Amino acid sequence: MNYMPGTASLIEDIDKKHLVLLRDGRTLIGFLRSIDQFANLVLHETVERIHVGKKYGDIPRGIFIIRGENVVLLGEIDLEKESDTVLQPVSIEEILEDQRCQQQAKQEAERMKLQVLKERGLFVPRADTLDEY
Amino acid sequence: MFRFQSLDEDCTLEEEEGLVEEEDEIDQFNDDTFGAGAIDDDWQEEHARLAELDERVRDGGVSLPPTVPPAAAASSLQPSAPPPGLEERGGGDLAESLARLILGADPAIAGVGAAGLPARAELPPQRKALSEALPARPPSLLGYHQQQLRMGTAPLQVNSRSIWESVGFGPVGVTPALGPRMEDSSLLSIIKEVGLPKQPPPMRSDERRDLSERVPPPRSSSPVIGSPPVRAVPIGTPPKQPLSHMLNQQIHCPTAVHVRAPIQHRYAHPFPERLSPNTLLNITNSPLCRPPFPGGVGPVLSQIQRAQLLSSQVGAFPRAGPAPPLLPGGAGGFRPFFGQHPPRVGPHIPPNHGPIRHNTTHLHPQHRRLLTQRLQSRGDRGGRGGERRIRDPYSNLMTQREKEWVARIQMMQLQSTDPYLDDYYYQNYYEKMEKKQERDRDSSSKKEHTTKLITPQVAKLEHTYRPVQFAGSLGKLTVSSVNNPRKMIDAVVTSRSDDEEKREKQVWNKRRQILYTVEKMYSLLLEVQDFEKKFIQTPEEQREALLEQHKTHTIQLYNTLREKEWDDRVSDEQCLMIMSVRKGKRLVSRLLPFLPPPQAAAVVMAIARNLPALAKKDKQDQVLCWLVEPVSVVVQALSSSALTDLLQELQGNEGQLPRVLQNKFGVTLLYLILSEGERMQSSDANCQLMDDNRWTELVFSVTRKLLEVPPASLSPPLFTPPNLLSLFSRYVDRQRLELLQEKLQISALSR
């Protein structure tokens, strides 16, 4: 049944596999089971997918209830196309390790940048780290 | 945090009602708060069962065992005295047989993986068995529920033993359904009444757990221990169990059954109970009491499925299974429904939502037709796509009711008293789409309508808040709400009588007045501009009225511009004032196309007359050029005498023309006039332009001025009409012509 044509309504997405990007940068993949008027989501068989470079790792998380305001975007996953991807799945430990390295490198770069700017007398106010995506 | 209450504790409310029995004492509060699942760690078992279910699903599904729910909470739930003799003995067996019946009957439930032919083949024989075993069935239903209760998933409410007593154990389906308006409480109470006293068959640990009873514990509304659940249903709560609602409305049973109104209303469960017993009963009633394919059938079924942890195939079950056992019970009111079963039981493998008739009242009628067509086609196609969906045991966790509820909330937010005002772009977009479809449809003979969301239109209601005031008291009580935010200060406007301030204010006032006038004119103008769109939208009868309205608006607009005394003369002062404001200029430029020609001409005349002043005021904004387009349209429509007049106005007194020439717009206007005159002359041999010498004289003076004016103070126009050259060539000699050419950079080939 066509619920609310011409609008972006999540009702038709129920029971389908979705990829949800959160404001803190996490990527969750799961079956959308329930919604409400605030677009709070109930994800089932959720998997948190961490991407580092061309590799990714899945951490199974179970059932997630996501407060709607924390969702950046979400989209349905085509189950057929899901498998043809250039990305390489790796184990959880490996991806976490990779992620740690990546974060470290980023922080280093950030620090260096701030340092250099400071030398030149330019101060960049630290952005409010609310939205990390 | 859980209060582990045994069921033997008193429930005061029940006692008040005087209907309680010793064995049915439960802690109402606790159960309502936490659900009976809080007892004896049932939730852990639940969870284990759930986990097991996962495995089972993975194993490919097995036909669920006949019955026997886990006897986990058996002891605690067992009151001492047995209920009035009806189901005593039969309880256990009946439960078994019923479960078998139900589980087996529904092809969907019969097995996740094996939900193919074998299950379906099972169906007819099962049904036969059902019809044969009818007399024995009803109690089994109860027994089943009883088991549910014992499992601890059902919140035990006040029992309504009386119902059973008075009926003398009539058909199972009736009485619980006859229960009160409240959701499942009546059913549960009945169940309790009937089932509790019995000793449930012990659940053998090695036996496969009956997954049919795995049901998520009911949600509670209040987490506070000891306090009764919230009475009123909060706004944000999902809908209740759909059928319980309908049950109450649709019972046609005779009043022989004592309809008990227990305490349920005090413990309103705002959340739907995902109870097997409840849903079972609902199902038993729904096919009997309502026409086929009620909207609630789907979700109810889905709950059962969920409870049974089986496929999402909605379908045969409701019609096939429980109906037969209930038929004989018929304490009146049941229409013989059985006969209608077979056709419906069939290889209906609808998609997740099933062939459900949703509430389509808010949809466009064409839309509705299209939807039903789609549903049918999808139903046909569903068979093939069904394979994938069969394997999803968790689907339809969100019932149809809930989906509609969310959709309804979203629609509420779209309520609008004036869609063109609130959602202009959507309306326009849809119109464009429709037009495109019309075009496409003409080319291809296929007829397809895209669906449009028809938003609910609400009449605009003005609610003025009058603060509550009690006689003799000081001040007013203010109750603030969303629609009536609190007034912080009771501000009263007082005018100050300071002379100096007055004078100063006058200046400001004037400007404010101009702005105010401009704003008012703008709203009128917008109405006028939207007229065409509205015209298309309104039905025939109202079109005349709309037309009248349109005319009035236009007249009103013009009236604001013109002089008070003279009808045909545009008020210079007013015009000037309006045009001194940037927005006013824009307004005039948009307004000109809508004015009737004589009035438009008058306005242009006024502009020309006052051009130097306007130019001066425009220095900051530089927006006079907005007027070029509409003015050019007007100029081209002028008669020759009017044109001459216009040129004269433009020239005005001595010294005006140079100032005009300094301004870009002025130059452009001049050129426009000249070019129009030239066009007239060249196209129409006997045009009246040459009748009197005015035109010629004017052009002469213009050319003289053009030559006199130093190039620096000659502003380049927005564009140069091509026929100026020919114009000048008529009036000036060759030398001057060349000079002019140079100055004005009019080349013979310029375009």
Side-chain angles (χ1 to χ4, degrees), chain A residues 1-5 7 9 11 14-15 33-35 37 44, chain B residues 358 367 374 378 392 394-396 398 400 403 405 410 451 453:
Chain A
M1 149 132 180
N2 207 352
Y3 280 94
M4 305 185 37
T7 64
S9 170
I11 295 177
I14 290 206
D15 292 335
R33 291 297 177 199
S34 186
I35 57 161
Q37 68 265 37
H44 178 230
Chain B
H358 307 285
H367 184 181
R374 273 206 208 150
R378 210 181 293 161
D392 190 5
Y394 293 93
S395 67
N396 287 344
M398 195 171 183
Q400 203 54 41
K403 288 182 189 158
W405 169 77
Q410 291 173 335
T451 57
L453 183 69

PDB file of all heavy atoms in Angstrom, chain A residues 1-5 7 9 11 14-15 33-35 37 44, chain B residues 358 367 374 378 392 394-396 398 400 403 405 410 451 453:
ATOM      1  N   MET A   1       0.849  -1.180   0.000  1.00  0.00           N
ATOM      2  CA  MET A   1       0.000   0.000   0.000  1.00  0.00           C
ATOM      3  C   MET A   1       0.875   1.215   0.000  1.00  0.00           C
ATOM      4  O   MET A   1       1.907   1.265   0.661  1.00  0.00           O
ATOM      5  CB  MET A   1      -0.874  -0.024   1.252  1.00  0.00           C
ATOM      6  CG  MET A   1      -1.192   1.371   1.722  1.00  0.00           C
ATOM      7  SD  MET A   1      -2.886   1.586   2.069  1.00  0.00           S
ATOM      8  CE  MET A   1      -2.879   3.257   2.583  1.00  0.00           C
ATOM      9  N   ASN A   2       0.484   2.148  -0.726  1.00  0.00           N
ATOM     10  CA  ASN A   2       1.306   3.321  -0.896  1.00  0.00           C
ATOM     11  C   ASN A   2       0.985   4.326   0.209  1.00  0.00           C
ATOM     12  O   ASN A   2       0.035   5.075   0.126  1.00  0.00           O
ATOM     13  CB  ASN A   2       1.011   3.924  -2.258  1.00  0.00           C
ATOM     14  CG  ASN A   2       2.195   4.670  -2.776  1.00  0.00           C
ATOM     15  OD1 ASN A   2       3.175   4.863  -2.062  1.00  0.00           O
ATOM     16  ND2 ASN A   2       2.124   5.089  -4.007  1.00  0.00           N
ATOM     17  N   TYR A   3       1.768   4.289   1.218  1.00  0.00           N
ATOM     18  CA  TYR A   3       1.554   5.241   2.293  1.00  0.00           C
ATOM     19  C   TYR A   3       2.075   6.595   1.894  1.00  0.00           C
ATOM     20  O   TYR A   3       3.214   6.750   1.559  1.00  0.00           O
ATOM     21  CB  TYR A   3       2.312   4.802   3.549  1.00  0.00           C
ATOM     22  CG  TYR A   3       1.630   3.734   4.333  1.00  0.00           C
ATOM     23  CD1 TYR A   3       1.945   2.400   4.131  1.00  0.00           C
ATOM     24  CD2 TYR A   3       0.674   4.056   5.287  1.00  0.00           C
ATOM     25  CE1 TYR A   3       1.323   1.428   4.871  1.00  0.00           C
ATOM     26  CE2 TYR A   3       0.052   3.073   6.016  1.00  0.00           C
ATOM     27  CZ  TYR A   3       0.378   1.750   5.807  1.00  0.00           C
ATOM     28  OH  TYR A   3      -0.220   0.777   6.528  1.00  0.00           O
ATOM     29  N   MET A   4       1.234   7.562   1.951  1.00  0.00           N
ATOM     30  CA  MET A   4       1.661   8.943   1.767  1.00  0.00           C
ATOM     31  C   MET A   4       2.558   9.144   0.556  1.00  0.00           C
ATOM     32  O   MET A   4       3.750   9.390   0.701  1.00  0.00           O
ATOM     33  CB  MET A   4       2.372   9.442   3.028  1.00  0.00           C
ATOM     34  CG  MET A   4       1.467   9.242   4.221  1.00  0.00           C
ATOM     35  SD  MET A   4       2.029   9.863   5.791  1.00  0.00           S
ATOM     36  CE  MET A   4       2.835  11.321   5.514  1.00  0.00           C
ATOM     37  N   PRO A   5       1.985   9.028  -0.571  1.00  0.00           N
ATOM     38  CA  PRO A   5       2.811   9.230  -1.780  1.00  0.00           C
ATOM     39  C   PRO A   5       3.275  10.665  -1.870  1.00  0.00           C
ATOM     40  O   PRO A   5       2.608  11.574  -1.428  1.00  0.00           O
ATOM     41  CB  PRO A   5       1.838   8.910  -2.915  1.00  0.00           C
ATOM     42  CG  PRO A   5       0.498   9.140  -2.336  1.00  0.00           C
ATOM     43  CD  PRO A   5       0.587   8.799  -0.885  1.00  0.00           C
ATOM     44  N   THR A   7       5.757  11.840  -0.343  1.00  0.00           N
ATOM     45  CA  THR A   7       6.455  12.265   0.866  1.00  0.00           C
ATOM     46  C   THR A   7       7.570  11.288   1.171  1.00  0.00           C
ATOM     47  O   THR A   7       7.630  10.200   0.615  1.00  0.00           O
ATOM     48  CB  THR A   7       5.509  12.273   2.074  1.00  0.00           C
ATOM     49  OG1 THR A   7       5.077  10.937   2.315  1.00  0.00           O
ATOM     50  CG2 THR A   7       4.315  13.146   1.811  1.00  0.00           C
ATOM     51  N   SER A   9       8.402   9.013   3.695  1.00  0.00           N
ATOM     52  CA  SER A   9       7.881   8.356   4.884  1.00  0.00           C
ATOM     53  C   SER A   9       8.592   7.027   5.041  1.00  0.00           C
ATOM     54  O   SER A   9       8.884   6.356   4.064  1.00  0.00           O
ATOM     55  CB  SER A   9       6.377   8.145   4.715  1.00  0.00           C
ATOM     56  OG  SER A   9       5.897   7.318   5.732  1.00  0.00           O
ATOM     57  N   ILE A  11       7.487   4.380   6.441  1.00  0.00           N
ATOM     58  CA  ILE A  11       6.611   3.230   6.642  1.00  0.00           C
ATOM     59  C   ILE A  11       6.884   2.153   5.612  1.00  0.00           C
ATOM     60  O   ILE A  11       6.829   0.960   5.899  1.00  0.00           O
ATOM     61  CB  ILE A  11       5.146   3.687   6.580  1.00  0.00           C
ATOM     62  CG1 ILE A  11       4.884   4.625   7.758  1.00  0.00           C
ATOM     63  CG2 ILE A  11       4.235   2.492   6.656  1.00  0.00           C
ATOM     64  CD1 ILE A  11       3.504   5.185   7.765  1.00  0.00           C
ATOM     65  N   ILE A  14       9.813  -0.488   6.189  1.00  0.00           N
ATOM     66  CA  ILE A  14       9.830  -1.402   7.325  1.00  0.00           C
ATOM     67  C   ILE A  14      10.124  -2.820   6.862  1.00  0.00           C
ATOM     68  O   ILE A  14       9.696  -3.240   5.788  1.00  0.00           O
ATOM     69  CB  ILE A  14       8.476  -1.319   8.045  1.00  0.00           C
ATOM     70  CG1 ILE A  14       8.447   0.041   8.716  1.00  0.00           C
ATOM     71  CG2 ILE A  14       8.306  -2.444   9.002  1.00  0.00           C
ATOM     72  CD1 ILE A  14       7.566   0.084   9.891  1.00  0.00           C
ATOM     73  N   ASP A  15      10.872  -3.496   7.714  1.00  0.00           N
ATOM     74  CA  ASP A  15      11.257  -4.886   7.461  1.00  0.00           C
ATOM     75  C   ASP A  15      12.247  -5.025   6.320  1.00  0.00           C
ATOM     76  O   ASP A  15      12.426  -6.114   5.792  1.00  0.00           O
ATOM     77  CB  ASP A  15      10.030  -5.775   7.189  1.00  0.00           C
ATOM     78  CG  ASP A  15       9.179  -5.932   8.438  1.00  0.00           C
ATOM     79  OD1 ASP A  15       9.743  -5.787   9.541  1.00  0.00           O
ATOM     80  OD2 ASP A  15       7.976  -6.199   8.303  1.00  0.00           O
ATOM     81  N   ARG A  33      12.646  -2.318  11.830  1.00  0.00           N
ATOM     82  CA  ARG A  33      11.449  -3.005  12.295  1.00  0.00           C
ATOM     83  C   ARG A  33      10.330  -2.058  12.672  1.00  0.00           C
ATOM     84  O   ARG A  33       9.168  -2.386  12.553  1.00  0.00           O
ATOM     85  CB  ARG A  33      11.781  -3.879  13.521  1.00  0.00           C
ATOM     86  CG  ARG A  33      12.645  -5.044  13.215  1.00  0.00           C
ATOM     87  CD  ARG A  33      11.976  -6.000  12.274  1.00  0.00           C
ATOM     88  NE  ARG A  33      12.865  -7.084  11.940  1.00  0.00           N
ATOM     89  CZ  ARG A  33      12.697  -7.864  10.876  1.00  0.00           C
ATOM     90  NH1 ARG A  33      11.700  -7.664  10.057  1.00  0.00           N
ATOM     91  NH2 ARG A  33      13.536  -8.842  10.653  1.00  0.00           N
ATOM     92  N   SER A  34      10.678  -0.933  13.208  1.00  0.00           N
ATOM     93  CA  SER A  34       9.610  -0.063  13.683  1.00  0.00           C
ATOM     94  C   SER A  34      10.068   1.384  13.662  1.00  0.00           C
ATOM     95  O   SER A  34      11.258   1.670  13.808  1.00  0.00           O
ATOM     96  CB  SER A  34       9.230  -0.467  15.110  1.00  0.00           C
ATOM     97  OG  SER A  34       8.114   0.275  15.520  1.00  0.00           O
ATOM     98  N   ILE A  35       9.106   2.237  13.481  1.00  0.00           N
ATOM     99  CA  ILE A  35       9.413   3.664  13.492  1.00  0.00           C
ATOM    100  C   ILE A  35       8.337   4.380  14.297  1.00  0.00           C
ATOM    101  O   ILE A  35       7.356   3.782  14.712  1.00  0.00           O
ATOM    102  CB  ILE A  35       9.416   4.262  12.059  1.00  0.00           C
ATOM    103  CG1 ILE A  35       8.060   4.002  11.401  1.00  0.00           C
ATOM    104  CG2 ILE A  35      10.521   3.674  11.245  1.00  0.00           C
ATOM    105  CD1 ILE A  35       7.803   4.906  10.249  1.00  0.00           C
ATOM    106  N   GLN A  37       6.778   8.717  15.027  1.00  0.00           N
ATOM    107  CA  GLN A  37       6.639  10.012  14.366  1.00  0.00           C
ATOM    108  C   GLN A  37       7.892  10.848  14.440  1.00  0.00           C
ATOM    109  O   GLN A  37       8.026  11.819  13.722  1.00  0.00           O
ATOM    110  CB  GLN A  37       5.469  10.795  14.970  1.00  0.00           C
ATOM    111  CG  GLN A  37       5.682  11.254  16.389  1.00  0.00           C
ATOM    112  CD  GLN A  37       5.089  10.275  17.376  1.00  0.00           C
ATOM    113  OE1 GLN A  37       5.143   9.080  17.175  1.00  0.00           O
ATOM    114  NE2 GLN A  37       4.507  10.788  18.435  1.00  0.00           N
ATOM    115  N   HIS A  44      16.937  -4.233  13.757  1.00  0.00           N
ATOM    116  CA  HIS A  44      17.048  -5.616  14.203  1.00  0.00           C
ATOM    117  C   HIS A  44      18.221  -6.266  13.499  1.00  0.00           C
ATOM    118  O   HIS A  44      18.503  -5.992  12.343  1.00  0.00           O
ATOM    119  CB  HIS A  44      15.738  -6.333  13.859  1.00  0.00           C
ATOM    120  CG  HIS A  44      15.734  -7.769  14.232  1.00  0.00           C
ATOM    121  ND1 HIS A  44      15.373  -8.754  13.358  1.00  0.00           N
ATOM    122  CD2 HIS A  44      16.059  -8.387  15.384  1.00  0.00           C
ATOM    123  CE1 HIS A  44      15.456  -9.933  13.971  1.00  0.00           C
ATOM    124  NE2 HIS A  44      15.867  -9.731  15.195  1.00  0.00           N
TER     125      HIS A  44
ATOM    126  N   HIS B 358      -6.765  -0.747   3.696  1.00  0.00           N
ATOM    127  CA  HIS B 358      -6.388   0.295   4.635  1.00  0.00           C
ATOM    128  C   HIS B 358      -7.370   1.434   4.554  1.00  0.00           C
ATOM    129  O   HIS B 358      -8.232   1.463   3.681  1.00  0.00           O
ATOM    130  CB  HIS B 358      -5.003   0.818   4.293  1.00  0.00           C
ATOM    131  CG  HIS B 358      -4.012  -0.289   4.188  1.00  0.00           C
ATOM    132  ND1 HIS B 358      -3.516  -0.929   5.274  1.00  0.00           N
ATOM    133  CD2 HIS B 358      -3.488  -0.885   3.107  1.00  0.00           C
ATOM    134  CE1 HIS B 358      -2.692  -1.858   4.861  1.00  0.00           C
ATOM    135  NE2 HIS B 358      -2.641  -1.862   3.567  1.00  0.00           N
ATOM    136  N   HIS B 367      -6.743   7.491  -6.992  1.00  0.00           N
ATOM    137  CA  HIS B 367      -5.639   6.857  -6.277  1.00  0.00           C
ATOM    138  C   HIS B 367      -6.085   5.534  -5.678  1.00  0.00           C
ATOM    139  O   HIS B 367      -5.408   4.520  -5.747  1.00  0.00           O
ATOM    140  CB  HIS B 367      -5.192   7.839  -5.204  1.00  0.00           C
ATOM    141  CG  HIS B 367      -4.008   7.386  -4.440  1.00  0.00           C
ATOM    142  ND1 HIS B 367      -3.477   8.125  -3.431  1.00  0.00           N
ATOM    143  CD2 HIS B 367      -3.248   6.275  -4.512  1.00  0.00           C
ATOM    144  CE1 HIS B 367      -2.465   7.497  -2.931  1.00  0.00           C
ATOM    145  NE2 HIS B 367      -2.284   6.362  -3.555  1.00  0.00           N
ATOM    146  N   ARG B 374      -3.177  -2.246  -7.829  1.00  0.00           N
ATOM    147  CA  ARG B 374      -1.803  -2.628  -7.509  1.00  0.00           C
ATOM    148  C   ARG B 374      -1.775  -3.801  -6.553  1.00  0.00           C
ATOM    149  O   ARG B 374      -0.953  -4.704  -6.696  1.00  0.00           O
ATOM    150  CB  ARG B 374      -1.093  -1.441  -6.847  1.00  0.00           C
ATOM    151  CG  ARG B 374      -0.487  -0.528  -7.834  1.00  0.00           C
ATOM    152  CD  ARG B 374       0.670   0.200  -7.224  1.00  0.00           C
ATOM    153  NE  ARG B 374       0.842   1.486  -7.867  1.00  0.00           N
ATOM    154  CZ  ARG B 374       1.327   2.555  -7.283  1.00  0.00           C
ATOM    155  NH1 ARG B 374       1.672   2.487  -6.034  1.00  0.00           N
ATOM    156  NH2 ARG B 374       1.458   3.669  -7.950  1.00  0.00           N
ATOM    157  N   ARG B 378      -0.014  -7.197  -7.145  1.00  0.00           N
ATOM    158  CA  ARG B 378       1.049  -7.640  -6.250  1.00  0.00           C
ATOM    159  C   ARG B 378       0.728  -8.986  -5.646  1.00  0.00           C
ATOM    160  O   ARG B 378       1.586  -9.814  -5.424  1.00  0.00           O
ATOM    161  CB  ARG B 378       1.246  -6.616  -5.118  1.00  0.00           C
ATOM    162  CG  ARG B 378       2.663  -6.613  -4.647  1.00  0.00           C
ATOM    163  CD  ARG B 378       2.861  -5.639  -3.543  1.00  0.00           C
ATOM    164  NE  ARG B 378       2.704  -4.267  -3.979  1.00  0.00           N
ATOM    165  CZ  ARG B 378       2.472  -3.257  -3.148  1.00  0.00           C
ATOM    166  NH1 ARG B 378       2.339  -3.483  -1.881  1.00  0.00           N
ATOM    167  NH2 ARG B 378       2.355  -2.035  -3.604  1.00  0.00           N
ATOM    168  N   ASP B 392      11.463 -14.625   6.976  1.00  0.00           N
ATOM    169  CA  ASP B 392      11.678 -13.543   7.919  1.00  0.00           C
ATOM    170  C   ASP B 392      10.688 -13.656   9.069  1.00  0.00           C
ATOM    171  O   ASP B 392       9.578 -13.175   8.972  1.00  0.00           O
ATOM    172  CB  ASP B 392      11.509 -12.194   7.202  1.00  0.00           C
ATOM    173  CG  ASP B 392      11.958 -11.062   8.073  1.00  0.00           C
ATOM    174  OD1 ASP B 392      12.482 -11.332   9.183  1.00  0.00           O
ATOM    175  OD2 ASP B 392      11.794  -9.912   7.659  1.00  0.00           O
ATOM    176  N   TYR B 394      10.660 -12.231  11.848  1.00  0.00           N
ATOM    177  CA  TYR B 394      10.467 -11.037  12.658  1.00  0.00           C
ATOM    178  C   TYR B 394       9.707  -9.948  11.924  1.00  0.00           C
ATOM    179  O   TYR B 394       9.612  -8.832  12.396  1.00  0.00           O
ATOM    180  CB  TYR B 394      11.817 -10.487  13.103  1.00  0.00           C
ATOM    181  CG  TYR B 394      12.523 -11.408  14.050  1.00  0.00           C
ATOM    182  CD1 TYR B 394      13.431 -12.346  13.568  1.00  0.00           C
ATOM    183  CD2 TYR B 394      12.266 -11.368  15.408  1.00  0.00           C
ATOM    184  CE1 TYR B 394      14.067 -13.202  14.428  1.00  0.00           C
ATOM    185  CE2 TYR B 394      12.908 -12.228  16.270  1.00  0.00           C
ATOM    186  CZ  TYR B 394      13.807 -13.133  15.787  1.00  0.00           C
ATOM    187  OH  TYR B 394      14.444 -13.983  16.628  1.00  0.00           O
ATOM    188  N   SER B 395       9.223 -10.276  10.799  1.00  0.00           N
ATOM    189  CA  SER B 395       8.549  -9.213  10.066  1.00  0.00           C
ATOM    190  C   SER B 395       7.217  -8.895  10.719  1.00  0.00           C
ATOM    191  O   SER B 395       6.714  -9.650  11.538  1.00  0.00           O
ATOM    192  CB  SER B 395       8.333  -9.650   8.631  1.00  0.00           C
ATOM    193  OG  SER B 395       7.405 -10.703   8.612  1.00  0.00           O
ATOM    194  N   ASN B 396       6.684  -7.777  10.319  1.00  0.00           N
ATOM    195  CA  ASN B 396       5.391  -7.341  10.854  1.00  0.00           C
ATOM    196  C   ASN B 396       5.385  -7.178  12.355  1.00  0.00           C
ATOM    197  O   ASN B 396       4.367  -7.367  13.000  1.00  0.00           O
ATOM    198  CB  ASN B 396       4.280  -8.301  10.454  1.00  0.00           C
ATOM    199  CG  ASN B 396       3.946  -8.132   8.990  1.00  0.00           C
ATOM    200  OD1 ASN B 396       4.311  -7.130   8.388  1.00  0.00           O
ATOM    201  ND2 ASN B 396       3.286  -9.098   8.433  1.00  0.00           N
ATOM    202  N   MET B 398       5.771  -4.443  13.491  1.00  0.00           N
ATOM    203  CA  MET B 398       4.983  -3.217  13.522  1.00  0.00           C
ATOM    204  C   MET B 398       3.663  -3.507  12.843  1.00  0.00           C
ATOM    205  O   MET B 398       3.614  -3.786  11.650  1.00  0.00           O
ATOM    206  CB  MET B 398       5.735  -2.113  12.781  1.00  0.00           C
ATOM    207  CG  MET B 398       5.193  -0.746  13.068  1.00  0.00           C
ATOM    208  SD  MET B 398       6.245   0.498  12.393  1.00  0.00           S
ATOM    209  CE  MET B 398       5.420   1.949  12.962  1.00  0.00           C
ATOM    210  N   GLN B 400      -0.148  -3.217  11.385  1.00  0.00           N
ATOM    211  CA  GLN B 400      -0.784  -2.329  10.437  1.00  0.00           C
ATOM    212  C   GLN B 400      -1.358  -1.104  11.147  1.00  0.00           C
ATOM    213  O   GLN B 400      -1.242   0.027  10.670  1.00  0.00           O
ATOM    214  CB  GLN B 400      -1.912  -3.088   9.747  1.00  0.00           C
ATOM    215  CG  GLN B 400      -2.283  -2.526   8.416  1.00  0.00           C
ATOM    216  CD  GLN B 400      -1.086  -2.421   7.503  1.00  0.00           C
ATOM    217  OE1 GLN B 400      -0.231  -3.299   7.428  1.00  0.00           O
ATOM    218  NE2 GLN B 400      -0.989  -1.322   6.808  1.00  0.00           N
ATOM    219  N   LYS B 403       1.330   1.310  11.873  1.00  0.00           N
ATOM    220  CA  LYS B 403       1.782   2.042  10.687  1.00  0.00           C
ATOM    221  C   LYS B 403       0.790   3.129  10.349  1.00  0.00           C
ATOM    222  O   LYS B 403       1.166   4.274  10.045  1.00  0.00           O
ATOM    223  CB  LYS B 403       1.911   1.084   9.499  1.00  0.00           C
ATOM    224  CG  LYS B 403       3.088   0.159   9.630  1.00  0.00           C
ATOM    225  CD  LYS B 403       3.208  -0.734   8.406  1.00  0.00           C
ATOM    226  CE  LYS B 403       4.248  -1.792   8.680  1.00  0.00           C
ATOM    227  NZ  LYS B 403       4.103  -2.956   7.854  1.00  0.00           N
ATOM    228  N   TRP B 405      -1.140   4.524  12.337  1.00  0.00           N
ATOM    229  CA  TRP B 405      -1.062   5.537  13.387  1.00  0.00           C
ATOM    230  C   TRP B 405       0.045   6.528  13.102  1.00  0.00           C
ATOM    231  O   TRP B 405      -0.149   7.739  13.196  1.00  0.00           O
ATOM    232  CB  TRP B 405      -0.850   4.817  14.714  1.00  0.00           C
ATOM    233  CG  TRP B 405      -0.501   5.688  15.844  1.00  0.00           C
ATOM    234  CD1 TRP B 405      -1.324   6.487  16.558  1.00  0.00           C
ATOM    235  CD2 TRP B 405       0.792   5.838  16.413  1.00  0.00           C
ATOM    236  NE1 TRP B 405      -0.621   7.127  17.536  1.00  0.00           N
ATOM    237  CE2 TRP B 405       0.672   6.740  17.484  1.00  0.00           C
ATOM    238  CE3 TRP B 405       2.042   5.287  16.132  1.00  0.00           C
ATOM    239  CZ2 TRP B 405       1.759   7.110  18.266  1.00  0.00           C
ATOM    240  CZ3 TRP B 405       3.119   5.657  16.916  1.00  0.00           C
ATOM    241  CH2 TRP B 405       2.963   6.563  17.967  1.00  0.00           C
ATOM    242  N   GLN B 410       1.652  11.861  10.904  1.00  0.00           N
ATOM    243  CA  GLN B 410       2.348  12.650   9.891  1.00  0.00           C
ATOM    244  C   GLN B 410       1.363  13.445   9.061  1.00  0.00           C
ATOM    245  O   GLN B 410       1.642  14.568   8.642  1.00  0.00           O
ATOM    246  CB  GLN B 410       3.194  11.723   9.025  1.00  0.00           C
ATOM    247  CG  GLN B 410       4.366  11.151   9.791  1.00  0.00           C
ATOM    248  CD  GLN B 410       5.128  10.104   9.000  1.00  0.00           C
ATOM    249  OE1 GLN B 410       4.590   9.466   8.113  1.00  0.00           O
ATOM    250  NE2 GLN B 410       6.390   9.938   9.342  1.00  0.00           N
ATOM    251  N   THR B 451       0.304   9.059  -7.951  1.00  0.00           N
ATOM    252  CA  THR B 451      -0.518   9.325  -6.774  1.00  0.00           C
ATOM    253  C   THR B 451      -0.152  10.660  -6.155  1.00  0.00           C
ATOM    254  O   THR B 451       0.993  11.077  -6.174  1.00  0.00           O
ATOM    255  CB  THR B 451      -0.298   8.224  -5.741  1.00  0.00           C
ATOM    256  OG1 THR B 451       1.092   8.190  -5.452  1.00  0.00           O
ATOM    257  CG2 THR B 451      -0.734   6.897  -6.294  1.00  0.00           C
ATOM    258  N   LEU B 453      -0.621  13.007  -2.717  1.00  0.00           N
ATOM    259  CA  LEU B 453      -1.004  13.002  -1.327  1.00  0.00           C
ATOM    260  C   LEU B 453      -2.007  14.123  -1.103  1.00  0.00           C
ATOM    261  O   LEU B 453      -1.691  15.292  -1.247  1.00  0.00           O
ATOM    262  CB  LEU B 453       0.238  13.219  -0.461  1.00  0.00           C
ATOM    263  CG  LEU B 453      -0.027  13.153   1.036  1.00  0.00           C
ATOM    264  CD1 LEU B 453      -0.356  11.747   1.422  1.00  0.00           C
ATOM    265  CD2 LEU B 453       1.170  13.650   1.784  1.00  0.00           C
TER     266      LEU B 453
END
